[in-house]
Amino acid sequence: IKETMSRYGFRVATSHELLAFGAKYPERQRQGAIISLELGWEYCDCYRCLILTSHRLDRVLAVTSVSKKGGSSWDGINGFLGIKTGD
């Protein structure tokens, strides 16, 4: 994911950028989960990362696992937050 983002001229959003995005666009996380791979702890075949999501009417910030290979662990993910680089 990180490599693909880089190929298209984006970098992974920081945790601060993820929180700022959630504050500015709160409805986006109600439409589906948004992930920052900044921390990107790698564990087996997964990334452990920050996620903005919702549960009922509440907005939630959590740490989650996402498979590097995709599949069902990506269900409900709206996107990975990236920032356009100046390259």
Side-chain angles (χ1 to χ4, degrees):
I1 297 166
K2 293 178 183 182
E3 294 81 15
T4 301
M5 291 174 77
S6 181
R7 266 198 315 266
Y8 287 96
F10 289 85
R11 65 169 173 78
V12 171
T14 67
S15 54
H16 287 80
E17 290 165 335
L18 181 70
L19 293 171
F21 182 86
K24 187 170 183 176
Y25 305 104
E27 290 305 314
R28 289 297 304 238
Q29 74 187 84
R30 290 190 176 104
Q31 295 169 4
I34 304 165
I35 291 179
S36 168
L37 293 171
E38 175 199 23
L39 301 178
W41 305 297
E42 294 190 30
Y43 177 75
C44 297
D45 287 334
C46 295
Y47 291 114
R48 300 279 292 163
C49 45
L50 289 176
I51 183 170
L52 284 177
T53 190
S54 62
H55 178 71
R56 299 191 181 132
L57 298 177
D58 294 327
R59 295 169 49 222
V60 178
L61 173 68
V63 174
T64 192
S65 294
V66 180
S67 171
K68 293 179 184 178
K69 300 176 184 176
S72 63
S73 72
W74 291 27
D75 290 349
I77 295 175
N78 197 31
F80 296 92
L81 188 60
I83 306 297
K84 186 75 172 160
T85 59
D87 300 343

